[in-house]
Amino acid sequence: MKPELVLSDLIRINTVNPPGNETAAAAYLKKLFKDNGLESEIIEPESGRGTFVARIGKGAKKLLYLSHLDVVPVGDDWDFEPFSGEIKDGIIYGRGALDCKDLTAAQVVAALELHAEGVPLNGQLIIAATADEEKGGRLGAEYLIENEPDKIKAGYAVNEGADQPIPINGKLAYFIQVGEKGTAWCTLKARGVAGHGSMPTLADNAVVKMARAVCRLHNYRAEVIVVPEVEKLLKRIAGLCNLELKSCRPEDVDHLLEELPLDKAFVEALRSMTRMTVSPNQIRGGSKTNIIPDYCEADVDIRILPGQDCEYVEKELRLVISKDIEIEFNEYKAPTFSSANDEFYRLMEEVTLDLTGKDAICLPVISAGSTDSKFLRGAGIPSYGIGLMAAGFDQAARSTIHGRNERTDLASLRLKTDFLKELARRYLV
Ligand SMILES: [Zn+2]
């Protein structure tokens, strides 16, 4: 069975969210399973917003392969038709080719091939392709976990979420996502006394107060916190670059980050794995050139590490922002984490290395963004994200996720499929 044909078909079904229309893609998968003699179901909390769920094998042990069916809007200026699903010269073109209809195709084909080949499984492999991930998951993974958890409850889950591999000094570093930073978004509110713009000393300008606070936030240096998985990651990367992480003290971590001769985006991703990030991104205040404003507010994007919460954030913000500025949290999602010191993680590592060869290494990472894994981890299901690509894949394609000209290649799609087949075969024994 060719995963590229499934991927191409899925790309042709437009599931841009909003509005989603994932049921069309779920119905396609349901028919594909039926044609292969397998039952499956579509769970549809709202019309058109279907999540596909199927399972192969019998027994108490369960492994969940999770992906999502919706994609983000395409925008302009593509060099090809975003929903053509064209396959040409080893490349599959279109929105969702990397995020993450490729994973859906690989998971589905892995299950169908295991079934067709009659591979004995001691347990169940559950395939779930959700709706609504790109808008937060309320009608997809969150709905399932809250309303029909038995459909997807499993010992472990494999999902999207890790970056694609990067070459480091002759090796190809593969990543397994073990955690996602949380969000503690807040609005800061500054109040002052209004007045006429011609007499600034008579009033108390809220915009100026907020400007000071925003500058201090910009200069804030967050505490460096290195969880064991990230320590392992930094040490391995340092070693590959003939450098050394002397200790997890802030100065040693930052020194290493300055020295690493690697892609800046990757180094900054490493930095974000070692600390909370604070970014004041929106500011609103004032109404007219000649009126001194008595109110100003600013929205701050804060991403937190395992072990941090709103209380921690507030304590840290108070170190740099004066008391007369209010802090109001308006979106909080806890960080989520699954250990890399775990038999299933080690199995994923083993299968990755067995399939990718002696020049590969496998490393745990924490993402700054979030996926449906947060709901699974929240429900006690350890979840790991993959970003497997074949050696020699087009590195330029990585920036096409959520961007223009999204595409993947046949070799990477086949590698993903083979990895998922082998992982299920070795786990469900
Ligand atoms: Zn995705």
Side-chain angles (χ1 to χ4, degrees):
M1 183 170 275
K2 292 186 166 167
E4 61 271 27
L5 298 183
V6 176
L7 173 55
S8 175
D9 285 344
L10 286 171
I11 289 171
R12 280 200 291 271
I13 302 168
N14 183 334
T15 52
V16 168
N17 183 11
N21 280 328
E22 298 90 343
T23 296
Y28 164 82
L29 295 177
K30 194 166 196 297
K31 179 169 184 313
L32 184 65
F33 271 64
K34 191 157 195 273
D35 292 346
N36 284 273
L38 286 163
E39 288 306 310
S40 61
E41 60 185 316
I42 297 172
I43 295 149
E44 206 178 28
E46 276 180 19
S47 174
R49 309 306 305 273
T51 285
F52 172 82
V53 182
R55 59 192 70 222
I56 61 166
K58 285 198 171 64
K61 207 170 174 182
K62 289 176 191 163
L63 174 61
L64 170 65
Y65 284 171
L66 188 79
S67 68
H68 61 87
L69 291 171
D70 59 326
V71 296
V72 294
V74 292
D76 300 326
D77 295 332
W78 284 55
D79 295 333
F80 48 84
E81 152 59 34
F83 301 105
S84 75
E86 188 184 2
I87 305 170
K88 203 172 128 192
D89 300 331
I91 308 290
I92 308 141
Y93 293 90
R95 175 54 91 221
L98 277 172
D99 182 15
C100 72
K101 286 176 169 173
D102 61 328
L103 184 61
T104 308
Q107 293 179 342
V108 160
V109 171
L112 292 178
E113 286 186 355
L114 287 168
H115 174 71
E117 290 161 17
V119 175
L121 298 180
N122 175 25
Q124 301 173 40
L125 174 62
I126 305 169
I127 307 291
T130 64
D132 204 30
E133 192 274 345
E134 297 289 3
K135 295 288 271 180
R138 186 178 63 84
L139 296 171
E142 186 175 28
Y143 178 86
L144 281 179
I145 285 291
E146 283 183 0
N147 298 283
E148 312 217 36
D150 291 343
K151 304 267 189 214
I152 53 169
K153 272 249 160 95
Y156 290 99
V158 178
N159 187 20
E160 62 169 346
D163 280 333
Q164 285 88 30
I166 62 160
I168 303 178
N169 222 353
K171 298 270 185 194
L172 193 57
Y174 284 91
F175 302 109
I176 297 177
Q177 194 237 53
V178 297
E180 294 174 0
K181 289 177 88 172
T183 47
W185 291 358
C186 62
T187 299
L188 307 181
K189 297 179 176 178
R191 294 178 204 281
V193 179
H196 196 281
S198 63
M199 281 202 269
T201 46
L202 197 57
D204 182 16
N205 191 324
V207 164
V208 172
K209 266 190 200 171
M210 184 59 80
R212 268 192 224 112
V214 165
C215 286
R216 284 198 216 105
L217 278 184
H218 178 68
N219 293 323
Y220 163 77
R221 292 290 160 258
E223 185 182 2
V224 171
I225 294 169
V226 184
V227 301
E229 279 74 6
V230 174
E231 181 178 357
K232 179 177 166 184
L233 169 72
L234 291 176
K235 283 187 167 156
R236 291 287 300 277
I237 288 173
L240 285 169
C241 297
N242 300 316
L243 295 167
E244 192 193 351
L245 177 66
K246 291 198 183 76
S247 79
C248 287
R249 288 203 311 256
E251 54 274 28
D252 289 332
V253 171
D254 285 345
H255 181 70
L256 174 68
L257 294 175
E258 296 313 318
E259 297 283 299
L260 283 175
L262 298 172
D263 174 62
K264 180 154 171 63
F266 180 63
V267 173
E268 293 313 313
L270 292 175
R271 195 185 307 277
S272 80
M273 290 178 216
T274 61
R275 68 208 72 197
M276 168 169 99
T277 56
V278 176
S279 188
N281 296 340
Q282 279 194 300
I283 189 159
R284 293 174 294 277
S287 59
K288 212 164 170 282
T289 306
N290 64 355
I291 298 175
I292 294 169
D294 60 358
Y295 181 72
C296 184
E297 58 182 31
D299 297 332
V300 191
D301 180 349
I302 298 171
R303 310 270 169 145
I304 52 180
L305 284 170
Q308 300 175 335
D309 55 15
C310 285
E311 205 180 319
Y312 173 85
V313 174
E314 183 154 7
K315 183 172 74 61
E316 288 295 296
L317 294 189
R318 281 294 170 217
L319 297 176
V320 291
I321 306 179
S322 60
K323 275 207 190 69
D324 59 345
I325 290 186
E326 293 163 42
I327 301 171
E328 188 182 290
F329 289 97
N330 38 39
E331 177 155 332
Y332 176 72
K333 275 192 228 114
T336 66
F337 196 72
S338 303
S339 175
N341 187 14
D342 177 282
E343 53 158 343
F344 188 73
Y345 177 90
R346 282 190 284 276
L347 184 64
M348 288 181 73
E349 195 172 56
E350 183 186 296
V351 177
T352 303
L353 297 180
D354 285 353
L355 265 60
T356 53
K358 64 175 174 23
D359 288 329
I361 55 164
C362 204
L363 296 165
V365 285
I366 292 177
S367 300
S370 78
T371 69
D372 279 341
S373 289
K374 62 181 172 287
F375 301 116
L376 302 179
R377 292 182 183 132
I381 305 169
S383 301
Y384 298 98
I386 58 170
L388 223 52
M389 300 294 280
F393 84 98
D394 177 10
Q395 288 281 339
R398 66 167 68 234
S399 64
T400 67
I401 293 178
H402 290 211
R404 293 167 51 239
N405 297 340
E406 190 172 349
R407 58 196 184 270
T408 191
D409 63 274
L410 293 183
S412 295
L413 187 60
R414 189 67 241 180
L415 175 64
K416 260 181 203 155
T417 309
D418 290 343
F419 168 84
L420 292 161
K421 275 177 82 176
E422 189 56 21
L423 183 67
R425 204 183 59 75
R426 288 195 207 176
Y427 178 66
L428 296 171
V429 290

